[in-house]
Amino acid sequence: MSIIEIIVLALIQGLTEFLPISSSAHLILPSQILGWQDQGLAFDVAVHVGSLAAVVIYFRQEVKTILAAMFKQVISKEASSEANLGWLVALATIPALLFGLAFKDIIEVYARSTAVIATTTIVFGLLLWWADVKAKQTVSMQLLGWQKALIIGIAQAIAMIPGTSRSGITITAGLMLGLSRSEAAKFSFLMSIPIILIAGSYHTLKLATGTEAVDWNAIILGTSLSFISAYACIYFFLAVIEKMGMLPFVIYRLLLGGVLIALMM
């Protein structure tokens, strides 16, 4: 991979992992427009490690408090809203794991086409707009309840279909279930930690047991850029989301889907 490819792909991964605009839709553009080849498993692991580090460090106080509260509840049976939030995040992770185990290979073979990504980018973009318009914003994420957390988890599982956007569909589900924009975004970001950790561990194992050569310069640069762009993305997204709403992202998704359709013609 060239330096330009490393920089562009790492920045795309970091920025689009947490914005509701679909990372897969963006990662397909360089290959479609510039003819770039797949970046390889090692680089994919690196940029996901960067994204994971960004969200963990940004929410370090919340993560520390949640884990401590969960441990305390297990040891002393002392319940708390922080522990409840941790169990809700854990519960919401299960559907994506089951869906991934059952359908990962099918999705890799049949759902990574430009047509599928363009369609899901537009359809789920419109669904995000509808959810934002109809949002009641009356529920706290600590008191979400296991049924609603499970629904958001199912939405995260659907995001395995390329073009859907993991953050986009989980924020959509959160808004539909009564969360505010910032609460829906925070719950989505917290949900990303276990799922990225599990996916990253799986790909790391594949890399360790495979024969793919590792370009450590690309790994270090990709991880660093992905971390910086993901951290900045989380910070600014949470800072402006209540005032700006989802419409700018919806418009962007519609334009992006249109570009992908045009590339197929």
Side-chain angles (χ1 to χ4, degrees):
M1 295 175 66
S2 69
I3 293 294
I4 296 297
E5 289 179 76
I6 295 169
I7 292 173
V8 170
L9 292 174
L11 290 176
I12 286 176
Q13 171 61 36
L15 290 171
T16 60
E17 181 68 38
F18 299 110
L19 290 179
I21 55 176
S22 174
S23 59
S24 55
H26 286 79
L27 290 171
I28 198 174
L29 287 175
S31 63
Q32 289 286 330
I33 297 174
L34 303 174
W36 291 357
Q37 299 299 310
D38 183 83
Q39 63 265 32
L41 182 59
F43 187 79
D44 189 54
V45 169
V47 294
H48 278 85
V49 167
S51 299
L52 176 63
V55 70
V56 170
I57 291 174
Y58 187 90
F59 289 105
R60 58 191 178 277
Q61 292 301 328
E62 289 89 343
V63 170
K64 181 180 178 181
T65 300
I66 288 169
L67 291 178
M70 293 173 72
F71 181 77
K72 189 174 183 179
Q73 184 173 2
V74 170
I75 298 300
S76 63
K77 309 300 181 183
E78 185 176 335
S80 65
S81 60
E82 291 80 9
N84 185 60
L85 177 58
W87 298 121
L88 292 178
V89 169
L91 176 64
T93 303
I94 295 173
L97 295 180
L98 297 177
F99 191 86
L101 289 172
F103 299 108
K104 181 181 181 299
D105 293 338
I106 295 174
I107 290 172
E108 286 290 331
V109 174
Y110 297 106
R112 296 196 66 83
S113 68
T114 304
V116 170
I117 294 174
T119 301
T120 51
T121 297
I122 292 171
V123 170
F124 286 103
L126 292 173
L127 189 60
L128 175 62
W129 167 79
W130 183 85
D132 193 38
V133 169
K134 299 293 184 180
K136 301 297 184 183
Q137 304 188 29
T138 57
V139 179
S140 166
M141 64 178 177
Q142 284 87 352
L143 303 174
L144 196 60
W146 70 266
Q147 298 96 331
K148 292 182 178 180
L150 190 59
I151 292 172
I152 299 176
I154 293 170
Q156 181 171 245
I158 295 171
M160 287 193 65
I161 302 172
T164 302
S165 171
R166 193 207 62 82
S167 61
I169 194 169
T170 51
I171 290 173
T172 297
L175 290 170
M176 287 180 172
L177 294 171
L179 293 174
S180 68
R181 292 165 180 158
S182 58
E183 290 269 288
K186 286 179 183 178
F187 192 72
S188 173
F189 293 157
L190 290 173
M191 285 174 62
S192 75
I193 295 174
I195 204 68
I196 295 176
L197 179 61
I198 293 168
S201 300
Y202 169 75
H203 288 303
T204 299
L205 180 62
K206 284 183 63 178
L207 182 64
T209 55
T211 58
E212 180 179 331
V214 177
D215 181 349
W216 288 107
N217 290 326
I219 295 299
I220 294 170
L221 181 57
T223 302
S224 301
L225 290 175
S226 176
F227 168 79
I228 292 169
S229 58
Y231 192 94
C233 170
I234 295 169
Y235 177 84
F236 286 110
F237 185 70
L238 290 176
V240 304
I241 192 60
E242 288 294 351
K243 295 180 180 178
M244 186 171 61
M246 297 296 171
L247 184 59
F249 302 104
V250 173
I251 293 173
Y252 182 83
R253 287 183 68 128
L254 297 179
L255 292 173
L256 178 60
V259 170
L260 292 174
I261 291 172
L263 290 173
M264 294 188 297
M265 297 179 176

